[in-house]
Amino acid sequence: MEATQESAAAGTIAGNFQIIVFKQGEEEYALQIAQIKEVVITPNITRMPQTPSFIRGVANVRGNIIAVIDLEEMFGLKRNETQQAGKNFTLVVESEDLKMGILVHEVPNTLSVSSKDFDESVNVINDSRMNSNYIRGIIKANQRLIILIDIFKVIDQEMLSTVRRSVA
Protein backbone atom coordinates (compact mmCIF):
# COMPACT_ATOMS: atom_id res chain seq x y z
CA MET A 1 0.00 0.00 0.00
CA GLU A 2 2.80 2.40 0.92
CA ALA A 3 4.60 1.74 -2.39
CA THR A 4 1.40 2.50 -4.30
CA GLN A 5 1.00 5.84 -2.51
CA GLU A 6 4.64 6.71 -3.17
CA SER A 7 4.34 5.89 -6.87
CA ALA A 8 1.14 7.94 -7.17
CA ALA A 9 2.87 10.90 -5.55
CA ALA A 10 5.79 10.54 -7.96
CA GLY A 11 3.41 10.57 -10.93
CA THR A 12 3.85 6.92 -11.84
CA ILE A 13 0.98 4.56 -12.41
CA ALA A 14 0.58 1.47 -10.24
CA GLY A 15 -2.08 -1.25 -10.15
CA ASN A 16 -5.09 -1.10 -12.45
CA PHE A 17 -6.46 2.13 -13.84
CA GLN A 18 -9.16 3.24 -16.27
CA ILE A 19 -8.71 5.29 -19.39
CA ILE A 20 -10.90 6.86 -22.05
CA VAL A 21 -9.64 5.89 -25.53
CA PHE A 22 -10.27 8.06 -28.60
CA LYS A 23 -8.85 8.43 -32.10
CA GLN A 24 -6.91 11.44 -33.29
CA GLY A 25 -5.86 11.08 -36.91
CA GLU A 26 -4.98 7.42 -37.42
CA GLU A 27 -3.73 6.83 -33.87
CA GLU A 28 -5.42 5.97 -30.59
CA TYR A 29 -4.90 8.30 -27.65
CA ALA A 30 -6.15 8.07 -24.09
CA LEU A 31 -6.69 10.16 -20.99
CA GLN A 32 -6.98 8.83 -17.49
CA ILE A 33 -10.65 8.76 -16.60
CA ALA A 34 -10.07 11.09 -13.63
CA GLN A 35 -9.21 13.91 -16.06
CA ILE A 36 -12.60 13.72 -17.81
CA LYS A 37 -15.74 15.22 -16.33
CA GLU A 38 -18.15 14.07 -19.06
CA VAL A 39 -18.52 13.15 -22.73
CA VAL A 40 -21.13 15.03 -24.79
CA ILE A 41 -22.18 15.26 -28.42
CA THR A 42 -20.40 18.38 -29.64
CA PRO A 43 -22.77 21.35 -29.58
CA ASN A 44 -22.53 24.26 -32.02
CA ILE A 45 -19.07 25.81 -31.84
CA THR A 46 -18.67 29.56 -32.21
CA ARG A 47 -15.31 30.50 -33.70
CA MET A 48 -13.44 33.19 -31.76
CA PRO A 49 -11.29 35.78 -33.54
CA GLN A 50 -7.53 35.99 -32.99
CA THR A 51 -7.18 32.51 -31.49
CA PRO A 52 -4.89 29.73 -32.72
CA SER A 53 -6.38 27.35 -35.28
CA PHE A 54 -6.37 24.44 -32.80
CA ILE A 55 -8.88 26.32 -30.63
CA ARG A 56 -12.02 25.52 -32.63
CA GLY A 57 -14.01 28.08 -30.65
CA VAL A 58 -16.37 28.08 -27.70
CA ALA A 59 -19.46 26.01 -26.99
CA ASN A 60 -22.26 25.98 -24.46
CA VAL A 61 -22.16 22.70 -22.51
CA ARG A 62 -24.90 22.49 -19.88
CA GLY A 63 -24.86 26.24 -19.36
CA ASN A 64 -21.07 26.52 -19.17
CA ILE A 65 -19.13 28.26 -21.94
CA ILE A 66 -16.00 26.21 -22.65
CA ALA A 67 -13.20 26.41 -25.21
CA VAL A 68 -13.08 23.45 -27.60
CA ILE A 69 -9.59 22.25 -28.54
CA ASP A 70 -8.78 20.19 -31.64
CA LEU A 71 -5.79 17.96 -30.77
CA GLU A 72 -5.46 16.79 -34.39
CA GLU A 73 -4.80 20.38 -35.41
CA MET A 74 -2.58 21.05 -32.40
CA PHE A 75 -0.45 17.93 -32.91
CA GLY A 76 -0.35 18.31 -36.71
CA LEU A 77 -2.03 14.93 -37.30
CA LYS A 78 -3.48 13.86 -40.62
CA ARG A 79 -7.27 13.75 -40.47
CA ASN A 80 -9.10 10.60 -41.46
CA GLU A 81 -11.64 11.70 -44.08
CA THR A 82 -14.24 9.14 -42.94
CA GLN A 83 -14.22 10.77 -39.48
CA GLN A 84 -15.38 14.12 -40.84
CA ALA A 85 -18.87 12.97 -41.88
CA GLY A 86 -20.20 11.64 -38.56
CA LYS A 87 -21.09 13.24 -35.26
CA ASN A 88 -18.33 14.70 -33.18
CA PHE A 89 -18.00 14.28 -29.44
CA THR A 90 -16.42 16.50 -26.84
CA LEU A 91 -14.50 15.24 -23.83
CA VAL A 92 -15.09 17.85 -21.14
CA VAL A 93 -12.00 18.11 -18.94
CA GLU A 94 -11.71 20.18 -15.82
CA SER A 95 -9.01 21.23 -13.37
CA GLU A 96 -8.77 23.95 -10.77
CA ASP A 97 -7.43 26.30 -13.45
CA LEU A 98 -9.41 25.36 -16.50
CA LYS A 99 -12.52 23.79 -17.99
CA MET A 100 -12.38 22.94 -21.69
CA GLY A 101 -13.47 20.43 -24.30
CA ILE A 102 -11.41 18.11 -26.47
CA LEU A 103 -12.91 17.42 -29.89
CA VAL A 104 -13.03 13.73 -30.92
CA HIS A 105 -14.62 12.16 -33.99
CA GLU A 106 -15.74 8.80 -32.64
CA VAL A 107 -17.55 7.67 -29.54
CA PRO A 108 -14.75 7.31 -26.99
CA ASN A 109 -14.61 4.05 -25.05
CA THR A 110 -13.48 3.10 -21.58
CA LEU A 111 -10.72 0.58 -21.02
CA SER A 112 -9.38 -0.91 -17.80
CA VAL A 113 -5.60 -1.26 -17.93
CA SER A 114 -3.08 -3.05 -15.76
CA SER A 115 0.14 -1.19 -14.94
CA LYS A 116 2.05 -4.15 -16.44
CA ASP A 117 0.60 -3.14 -19.84
CA PHE A 118 1.80 0.44 -19.38
CA ASP A 119 5.26 1.55 -20.55
CA GLU A 120 6.46 4.88 -19.19
CA SER A 121 9.79 4.76 -21.02
CA VAL A 122 8.87 7.17 -23.80
CA ASN A 123 10.81 10.16 -22.48
CA VAL A 124 12.82 10.18 -25.70
CA ILE A 125 9.84 11.62 -27.56
CA ASN A 126 9.47 15.32 -26.90
CA ASP A 127 7.60 18.05 -28.69
CA SER A 128 9.87 21.09 -28.85
CA ARG A 129 6.80 23.35 -28.92
CA MET A 130 5.69 22.10 -25.51
CA ASN A 131 7.36 23.00 -22.22
CA SER A 132 6.75 19.65 -20.58
CA ASN A 133 6.49 16.07 -21.68
CA TYR A 134 2.76 15.49 -22.05
CA ILE A 135 3.06 11.86 -23.15
CA ARG A 136 2.67 9.73 -20.01
CA GLY A 137 3.45 6.47 -21.79
CA ILE A 138 2.26 3.77 -24.14
CA ILE A 139 -0.41 1.22 -23.27
CA LYS A 140 -0.24 -2.20 -24.89
CA ALA A 141 -3.77 -3.57 -25.28
CA ASN A 142 -3.85 -6.77 -27.37
CA GLN A 143 -2.42 -5.71 -30.75
CA ARG A 144 -3.05 -2.01 -30.10
CA LEU A 145 -0.66 0.70 -28.91
CA ILE A 146 -2.47 3.55 -27.18
CA ILE A 147 -0.72 6.83 -26.36
CA LEU A 148 -1.60 8.02 -22.85
CA ILE A 149 -1.38 11.80 -22.54
CA ASP A 150 -1.78 14.21 -19.67
CA ILE A 151 -4.12 16.84 -21.08
CA PHE A 152 -3.11 19.39 -18.46
CA LYS A 153 0.53 19.17 -19.58
CA VAL A 154 -0.49 19.60 -23.22
CA ILE A 155 -1.83 23.03 -22.34
CA ASP A 156 1.10 25.24 -21.29
CA GLN A 157 0.75 28.64 -19.58
CA GLU A 158 0.65 30.59 -22.85
CA MET A 159 -2.08 28.35 -24.26
CA LEU A 160 -3.93 28.50 -20.94
CA SER A 161 -4.05 32.29 -21.20
CA THR A 162 -5.33 32.05 -24.79
CA VAL A 163 -8.04 29.54 -23.81
CA ARG A 164 -9.11 31.73 -20.87
CA ARG A 165 -9.34 34.80 -23.15
CA SER A 166 -11.48 32.88 -25.63
CA VAL A 167 -14.14 32.10 -23.01
CA ALA A 168 -13.96 35.42 -21.14
Side-chain angles (χ1 to χ4, degrees):
M1 179 73 175
E2 193 171 299
T4 303
Q5 288 174 340
E6 285 176 17
S7 64
T12 60
I13 296 176
N16 291 337
F17 59 99
Q18 287 195 316
I19 58 172
I20 297 287
V21 180
F22 54 94
K23 272 199 145 172
Q24 295 288 284
E26 298 292 326
E27 306 304 326
E28 288 186 295
Y29 286 81
L31 298 174
Q32 282 189 276
I33 204 161
Q35 290 187 321
I36 299 173
K37 182 179 179 191
E38 63 182 321
V39 178
V40 298
I41 294 174
T42 302
N44 286 338
I45 298 174
T46 302
R47 182 83 178 122
M48 298 298 288
Q50 299 181 350
T51 57
S53 60
F54 64 84
I55 298 178
R56 287 292 170 167
V58 295
N60 183 345
V61 176
R62 302 190 199 288
N64 295 306
I65 304 300
I66 62 169
V68 178
I69 308 294
D70 184 345
L71 290 181
E72 284 180 332
E73 180 79 23
M74 185 177 197
F75 293 163
L77 299 173
K78 182 181 175 193
R79 283 181 169 43
N80 184 340
E81 294 305 318
T82 59
Q83 293 174 342
Q84 301 300 321
K87 283 184 182 173
N88 290 325
F89 296 85
T90 298
L91 306 175
V92 178
V93 297
E94 187 173 32
S95 72
E96 291 177 18
D97 298 327
L98 178 67
K99 186 173 187 176
M100 66 180 181
I102 306 299
L103 188 65
V104 297
H105 302 291
E106 295 179 0
V107 177
N109 50 8
T110 306
L111 186 63
S112 188
V113 178
S114 168
S115 60
K116 69 179 176 50
D117 295 326
F118 178 68
D119 184 0
E120 284 185 288
S121 61
V122 292
N123 312 22
V124 295
I125 303 171
N126 276 322
D127 186 338
S128 61
R129 297 170 297 156
M130 305 287 181
N131 289 336
S132 58
N133 190 1
Y134 57 87
I135 299 175
R136 300 278 318 270
I138 304 293
I139 296 163
K140 298 169 285 231
N142 299 322
Q143 298 298 314
R144 300 159 54 192
L145 292 179
I146 302 167
I147 303 164
L148 180 66
I149 61 175
D150 182 339
I151 195 62
F152 300 119
K153 287 188 178 178
V154 170
I155 306 299
D156 65 15
Q157 289 303 313
E158 182 179 331
M159 284 187 240
L160 182 60
S161 296
T162 303
V163 169
R164 282 186 181 147
R165 281 193 306 270
S166 70
V167 295

